[in-house]
Amino acid sequence: MRHNSLGEIIRSLRKKACLSQEELADGICSPVSISRIENGAQMPSGTVLEALLARLGTSTYQICDIYYRSEKQQAFEQEAEMVGRAVAAGKMDEAKERLVYLAGSTGTDSLNMQYFLMLDASVKLAEGAEPEKTLSILHQALAQTKSSFDPEDFRGVLLSVREANILNIMAAALFRCGRPQEAIRLGEELMSSLKRHKSGLQEYQIIKINLAFNLAQCLEKEGRYSEAFIYIQMAEELSLNGFEQALLPEIEFGKAKLYHLLGDDGACEAIIRAIVPYMELVRKTEFAGIVRSYAQKELGITEI
């Protein structure tokens, strides 16, 4: 149970017991008081709280234990989110420092352990650590919730957001291991699985964007430019339609490179001239420099 307040805990316990507010209040307080308690507008007295909890089949001690775990869980998840942001921003030292805290906070919760292992693998992959070791960590992470999992065929398996993220990172690690065909096969299987989910959750859309971008890069490295172009267009469409545009400059640069590889330098130049000013505007100056260097080397463009 993960709640933010006493009222939410009481509401959850009441619904679990299949009691209406009137039935819970009967002989203890008014139904209006129950409503106010559940909404956080009123704190019950000690006597009333004990009577309510007794009717709900619990006690103050158990509630305090639930609330304490809830607070710890929130702290864990907030710290985990900070690790993810640090990795995305390339702040590896900060990410590793926060991981030390998480390592001692997972407890026996398998979902917390899965989150920690996924973040640990992300840091290692971003730092260029041994990819086989990263793969091993990712397999451990997936095993926390999917003890028997076939990465060759999981069409009938419902994946959580975190499990899908783990598989996405796993595909990138496979590519780093020099196993491109396995990486592409896993990525394409994951994309098919996510399409079948038909979930409107933003988290799934973000995974699709990252996955399509990663697949485009893998296929490009394999010289399969036309197939790569299909995935880069998919990443672009998902990014624009889903209003999730954090990765859009990188996607557009990937598209520009594919235009060049497919022989359309005009389209390549047009994209580069459009995205460099935008990259500088959003303070991606280092990346803007990479794009300028590419334009000079591949297209002979010296001024952007």
Side-chain angles (χ1 to χ4, degrees):
M1 295 176 63
R2 295 174 187 175
H3 305 278
N4 296 323
S5 69
L6 175 64
E8 287 177 314
I9 293 172
I10 289 175
R11 181 189 291 117
S12 178
L13 291 170
R14 175 177 63 78
K15 289 183 176 180
K16 187 176 179 181
C18 299
L19 295 174
S20 67
Q21 290 183 337
E22 289 76 12
E23 288 170 329
L24 177 58
D26 187 31
I28 299 173
C29 60
S30 70
V32 173
S33 292
I34 297 295
S35 176
R36 288 176 59 80
I37 290 167
E38 290 184 352
N39 290 328
Q42 177 179 326
M43 284 296 292
S45 67
T47 303
V48 168
L49 178 60
E50 286 294 344
L52 293 174
L53 295 180
R55 182 161 291 170
L56 292 167
T58 187
S59 67
T60 307
Y61 173 80
Q62 290 169 308
I63 286 292
C64 287
D65 186 49
I66 290 169
Y67 190 74
Y68 175 65
R69 289 201 315 265
S70 174
E71 291 292 297
K72 282 184 67 176
Q73 184 63 31
Q74 285 183 25
F76 176 89
E77 290 178 359
Q78 287 170 2
E79 193 68 21
E81 286 175 13
M82 293 300 293
V83 174
R85 289 175 192 166
V87 173
K91 300 176 180 177
M92 293 301 115
D93 289 340
E94 178 186 337
K96 286 188 287 187
E97 284 181 17
R98 292 183 181 277
L99 272 176
V100 172
Y101 166 79
L102 285 182
S105 307
T106 57
T108 57
D109 190 305
S110 60
L111 290 176
N112 285 352
M113 178 57 72
Q114 184 177 67
Y115 204 170
F116 168 76
L117 290 169
M118 183 189 78
L119 291 169
D120 187 30
S122 299
V123 169
K124 285 179 168 56
L125 194 67
E127 286 197 312
E130 186 181 343
E132 290 289 354
K133 185 175 182 180
T134 303
L135 270 176
S136 176
I137 294 170
L138 290 166
H139 281 296
Q140 289 178 51
L142 195 58
Q144 299 298 315
T145 51
K146 293 280 190 295
S147 55
S148 56
F149 182 82
D150 182 6
E152 297 287 331
D153 182 7
F154 46 94
R155 274 170 276 183
V157 179
L158 186 64
L159 298 171
S160 69
V161 169
R162 196 165 298 153
E163 289 165 346
N165 261 320
I166 290 166
L167 289 168
N168 191 19
I169 301 167
M170 197 178 285
L174 281 167
F175 191 80
R176 294 272 186 90
C177 286
R179 296 154 67 181
Q181 294 306 316
E182 290 178 67
I184 293 167
R185 187 163 57 248
L186 177 60
E188 289 182 334
E189 186 72 22
L190 177 57
M191 183 64 80
S192 296
S193 176
L194 291 173
K195 285 180 179 178
R196 285 190 294 273
H197 273 241
K198 295 182 179 178
S199 171
L201 278 177
Q202 185 72 1
E203 289 89 344
Y204 283 110
Q205 303 310 310
I206 294 170
I207 295 170
K208 286 181 188 176
I209 293 168
N210 280 278
L211 180 57
F213 181 58
N214 290 341
L215 277 167
Q217 290 183 305
C218 289
L219 289 162
E220 178 196 327
K221 292 287 194 307
E222 288 295 286
R224 295 160 63 177
Y225 305 138
S226 296
E227 294 171 76
F229 197 82
I230 292 170
Y231 278 110
I232 207 71
Q233 283 186 308
M234 184 188 297
E236 179 186 56
E237 184 179 346
L238 287 166
S239 180
L240 291 171
N241 292 345
F243 303 102
E244 182 56 49
Q245 299 171 12
L247 197 60
L248 190 57
E250 288 83 351
I251 292 169
E252 292 303 321
F253 181 45
K255 187 177 182 181
K257 289 192 293 182
L258 284 167
Y259 268 128
H260 172 62
L261 291 166
L262 290 166
D264 192 343
D265 286 352
C268 174
E269 180 178 346
I271 291 175
I272 285 174
R273 288 193 180 279
I275 63 173
V276 167
Y278 175 75
M279 289 176 183
E280 291 180 334
L281 181 66
V282 297
R283 299 182 181 179
K284 291 190 174 185
T285 51
E286 185 177 343
F287 192 39
I290 292 171
V291 177
R292 280 198 178 93
S293 296
Y294 176 87
Q296 183 174 357
K297 180 181 177 182
E298 300 296 332
L299 304 176
I301 300 172
T302 56
E303 293 184 7
I304 299 179

